[in-house]
């Protein structure tokens, strides 16, 4: 069972990953976006860790709902609403349970990803964060490690894609040949989940 502490550790691990990879995310974004994806997410997840420490929510759903709210209020551009929606809707789907199963997390995350797709009007193959999140959700029922690998592969697969949504879509054919920064940061979020699951299992093997 995964309790509130597990979800707090997931968010803290994600914040550390974003902090570590912020320059790389911004570099990717400079090619096909506004060159601020890394710095925006870095600021947002730093605020998430601060508010979680201050307010200490007691259920998994409350942790993710609070984190999502903080991202929406802190991160500019499209990233704040998209990541905020992902976490808030996942949190709401988890409800008020004090602890949840891995299967319940997978089901709730699917709800969150569907909300992102609806908000952004995007689908698989549009060269967005969904290209990492959709395969990750599909694989999460197997294990968190499988979800991480699927997200990494999904992010890498955006390189040859033509962007059809978001700022990158304005570039047309020039968007081809670049890895999508949103898919890359989404893969970091899923990798943080796998890392937290491995630590939770006590053997580093993932969930």
């Amino acid at each position: 069972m995964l309790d509130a502490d597990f979800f707090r550790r997931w968010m803290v691990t994600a914040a550390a990953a974003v902090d570590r990879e912020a320059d790389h995310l911004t570099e990717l974004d400079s090619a096909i976006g506004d060159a601020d994806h890394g710095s925006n997410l870095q600021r947002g997840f730093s605020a998430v860790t601060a508010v979680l420490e201050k307010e200490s929510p007691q259920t998994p759903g409350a942790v993710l709902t609070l984190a999502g709210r903080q991202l929406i209020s802190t991160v500019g551009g499209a990233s704040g609403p998209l990541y905020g929606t992902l976490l808030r809707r996942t949190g709401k789907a988890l409800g008020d349970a004090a602890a949840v199963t891995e299967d319940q997390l997978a089901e709730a995350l699917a709800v969150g990803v569907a909300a992102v797709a609806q908000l952004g009007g995007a689908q698989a193959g549009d060269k967005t964060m969904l290209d990492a999140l959709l395969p990750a959700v599909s694989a999460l029922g197997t294990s968190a490690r499988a979800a991480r690998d699927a997200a990494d592969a999904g992010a890498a697969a955006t390189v040859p894609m033509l962007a059809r949504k978001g700022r990158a879509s304005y570039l047309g054919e020039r968007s081809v040949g670049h890895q999508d920064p949103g898919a890359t940061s989404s893969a970091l979020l899923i990798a943080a989940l796998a890392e937290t699951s491995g630590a939770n299992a006590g053997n580093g093997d993932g969930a």
Side-chain angles (χ1 to χ4, degrees), residues 129-158:
M129 62 196 292
L130 290 176
D131 290 304
L133 290 174
L134 287 168
V137 165
S138 295
L140 189 54
T142 302
S143 72
R145 283 179 63 186
R148 176 199 64 198
D149 294 345
D152 286 344
T158 64

Side-chain angles (χ1 to χ4, degrees), residues 11 43-53 66-68 70-71 87:
M11 291 297 101
R43 181 173 65 253
F45 274 96
S46 176
V48 165
T49 58
V51 75
L52 288 177
E53 185 175 338
L66 178 60
Q70 192 68 16
L71 287 174
L87 296 182

Side-chain angles (χ1 to χ4, degrees), residues 26-118:
T26 292
E27 181 182 356
L28 292 175
D29 197 35
S30 68
I32 57 175
D34 293 324
D36 59 1
H37 189 61
S39 57
N40 280 345
L41 283 187
Q42 191 175 31
R43 181 173 65 253
F45 274 96
S46 176
V48 165
T49 58
V51 75
L52 288 177
E53 185 175 338
K54 178 182 177 183
E55 299 194 18
S56 192
Q58 297 301 302
T59 66
V63 170
L64 293 188
T65 301
L66 178 60
R69 240 187 0 249
Q70 192 68 16
L71 287 174
I72 290 172
S73 65
T74 308
V75 181
S79 296
L82 290 169
Y83 270 102
T85 294
L86 174 66
L87 296 182
R88 282 183 64 191
R89 292 298 291 273
T90 300
K92 288 183 178 180
L94 290 174
D96 297 325
V100 299
T101 65
E102 292 166 359
D103 286 343
Q104 287 171 323
L105 171 56
E107 291 168 5
L109 191 59
V111 172
V113 172
V116 169
Q118 183 176 27

